[in-house]
Amino acid sequence: MQATQTLLGLAKLMRLALGGEDLSAFGQSLLRRATENPSESAALMDAAIIFQCLGNPEMGLALQHEALKLSRHYRLPASLPTTLNVLALMAPGEMMANVPLECLLEDSDIALSLYYATTDPNALTEIPEHDLLFVAIGESEAGRQLLDAWIPRLAHWPRPFLNDPRRIPRVARDAAYARLHTLPGVGMPATHRVEAERLVAIADGACLNELPEFAWLLRPFDSHAGHGLVKIDDRAQLADRRERLTGDGFFVSSFVDYRSPDGLYRKYRVILIDGQPFAGHMGISEHWMIHYLNAGMADSTAKRAEEARFMARFDQDFARRHATALAAIHETIGLDYLGIDCAEDQDGRLLIFEVDPAMVVHAMDPIDVFPYKQPAMRRIFEAFRALLFKTAARQKTHPSQNPDA
């Protein structure tokens, strides 16, 4: 195995980007370093992150591909004296392809090693020293192939591991709907996996059959953060998009109007750590498609004050109100670490948009604008650290081969 190289990594580079640093010049300096020393795969990996932050994912993925030809193993040392070593099993791909462990472990006493898996699990012949393994691969078509290949090897892994790879496919949008929509206290829009050709046929007049009546939310497979997401109110709007109904296919889900009585939409991010819920963030918007960065939170004192109240009273209010639903989701999905994007529907149920372990959680928002976020993020980070130490301390037991375990 090539000597392991040290990354700057996602968390440091995200912090620079959010702080307004000129990443273009920094990215070019990394490319020069890699050109001068062709074995500098870490410089390529860091440059790959920078280009994605700059809105050029194609270049970022190309640089990552070149880096992984040189090495698939990288490390991020602990900021404090190391007390635990975690190995993360990663998928090549964009930043949201994996659980952003670096953001969860920023400024901690836990050292992180990243191994970018292939579909040949035996390619990892020399296992890096670690106290536990975290399966950080998110749900996607490419991710499922990696997970399927690694399940047999992980059944006999020499250390404890978190986020059982057999359970990660449960968070796919259609699979999650099948498992979650009947749970007590849960609402989830009907969601179907539909090939592009079928949608073209529907646009041309074919019957809906098992699909819900309009209005729809339509999103490409493996898309996140609202990329490609559109609302389709009727067949005429679908026909207007006919030329864009391409690729492998789309998820079709029923649109649910989740406006609060004041006419605003509220979307919550909840993190489940070992089954315990924590407040990630709250976005408030006049538009149904809420992403935290487009909700105008930084520009509204009133919105931030409401989010601060949500975070401060989360355990006594939101988490208690939806305790039954959140516990059922944890039991049904079965992952040690899971993110939930949700709202409250007009019947008071927990309205699930997505469940996914790879949701971004970080403590990088400006403290002068969002001072209330630091305590909430510290609670998440401390709970995650406790989970890692508890898992590392337990006696390793091989998981059952039953895929429903």
Side-chain angles (χ1 to χ4, degrees):
M1 177 183 290
Q2 180 187 11
T4 305
Q5 296 194 27
T6 300
L7 295 173
L8 292 173
L10 175 64
K12 288 183 179 178
L13 295 173
M14 273 184 60
R15 189 170 284 281
L16 290 176
L18 292 172
E21 295 289 333
D22 180 8
L23 290 187
S24 298
F26 190 25
Q28 293 301 322
S29 70
L30 289 171
L31 292 180
R32 286 194 297 272
R33 197 173 96 197
T35 301
E36 294 165 1
N37 184 352
S39 65
E40 272 277 5
S41 61
L44 289 175
M45 288 294 282
D46 284 330
I49 295 172
I50 286 175
F51 276 92
Q52 291 186 63
C53 290
L54 293 173
N56 190 344
E58 295 81 8
M59 175 62 79
L61 292 178
L63 292 172
Q64 184 190 86
H65 180 72
E66 292 303 312
L68 294 180
K69 289 181 182 178
L70 299 172
S71 177
R72 306 192 78 86
H73 180 212
Y74 299 88
R75 68 176 180 180
L76 290 146
S79 300
L80 303 173
T82 301
T83 57
L84 194 73
N85 290 285
V86 174
L87 173 62
L89 190 65
M90 307 280 284
E94 295 187 10
M95 290 186 288
M96 293 188 70
N98 300 285
V99 178
L101 294 174
E102 298 168 49
C103 298
L104 294 167
L105 299 177
E106 192 180 20
D107 298 328
S108 80
D109 57 349
I110 297 175
L112 183 61
S113 292
L114 309 178
Y115 177 75
Y116 286 84
T118 72
T119 52
D120 177 11
N122 296 317
L124 180 60
T125 55
E126 184 180 335
I127 299 174
E129 183 56 41
H130 62 289
D131 299 301
L132 78 154
L133 173 76
F134 191 102
V135 181
I137 298 170
E139 199 288 321
S140 67
E141 182 59 39
R144 285 191 295 275
Q145 295 177 22
L146 289 172
L147 294 168
D148 287 344
W150 274 80
I151 285 170
R153 185 166 188 187
L154 291 180
H156 304 285
W157 197 255
R159 296 287 185 273
F161 65 82
L162 289 168
N163 271 18
D164 190 323
R166 296 165 300 174
R167 298 172 180 172
I168 292 171
R170 298 177 184 180
V171 308
R173 293 181 188 274
D174 55 337
Y177 167 71
R179 287 179 176 270
L180 300 182
H181 78 282
T182 59
L183 295 180
V186 170
M188 190 168 186
T191 303
H192 301 267
R193 183 183 290 261
V194 185
E195 294 180 353
E197 293 82 0
R198 171 84 191 285
L199 292 176
V200 171
I202 292 171
D204 291 341
C207 293
L208 296 180
N209 293 332
E210 79 281 0
L211 295 179
E213 296 292 332
F214 297 100
W216 289 353
L217 294 182
L218 189 70
R219 74 181 79 227
F221 292 161
D222 292 346
S223 69
H224 298 279
H227 296 154
L229 174 64
V230 293
K231 182 170 174 277
I232 304 293
D233 289 318
D234 51 38
R235 197 183 298 264
Q237 285 189 1
L238 186 65
D240 287 343
R241 299 188 63 82
R242 192 180 190 284
E243 300 306 316
R244 284 172 279 182
L245 299 176
T246 59
D248 294 332
F250 297 79
F251 286 112
V252 172
S253 60
S254 301
F255 174 75
V256 176
D257 187 348
Y258 63 99
R259 273 177 294 192
S260 301
D262 63 359
L264 297 176
Y265 295 91
R266 288 165 172 82
K267 179 178 170 185
Y268 309 93
R269 176 159 294 176
V270 176
I271 305 300
L272 293 181
I273 300 176
D274 203 17
Q276 183 178 355
F278 295 87
H281 65 228
M282 174 189 190
I284 307 169
S285 177
E286 295 76 18
H287 194 271
W288 61 266
M289 186 167 63
I290 302 178
H291 300 289
Y292 197 80
L293 294 179
N294 73 10
M297 300 297 290
D299 301 323
S300 171
T301 302
K303 289 181 179 181
R304 294 198 305 277
E306 185 174 342
E307 184 183 30
R309 289 193 297 273
F310 162 71
M311 289 183 155
R313 293 192 49 77
F314 179 79
D315 291 342
Q316 298 79 25
D317 187 3
F318 189 96
R320 178 173 294 176
R321 190 162 64 250
H322 298 293
T324 298
L326 292 168
I329 292 169
H330 172 65
E331 181 69 22
T332 301
I333 300 298
L335 291 176
D336 307 287
Y337 178 88
L338 180 68
I340 304 173
D341 275 352
C342 57
E344 294 177 300
D345 69 15
Q346 294 176 1
D347 295 323
R349 296 177 302 175
L350 192 69
L351 179 64
I352 304 300
F353 299 126
E354 182 180 9
V355 290
D356 186 352
M359 292 180 181
V360 175
V361 179
H362 64 76
M364 301 180 191
D365 292 297
I367 296 177
D368 58 333
V369 180
F370 300 94
Y372 56 88
K373 283 195 172 183
Q374 293 299 313
M377 294 304 102
R378 281 199 298 271
R379 285 193 289 271
I380 291 176
F381 301 158
E382 289 166 3
F384 187 68
R385 180 182 182 276
L387 172 64
L388 296 180
F389 275 89
K390 183 180 81 170
T391 304
R394 77 182 180 215
Q395 178 66 35
K396 174 71 172 81
T397 57
H398 290 159
S400 163
Q401 294 303 302
N402 178 0
D404 292 326

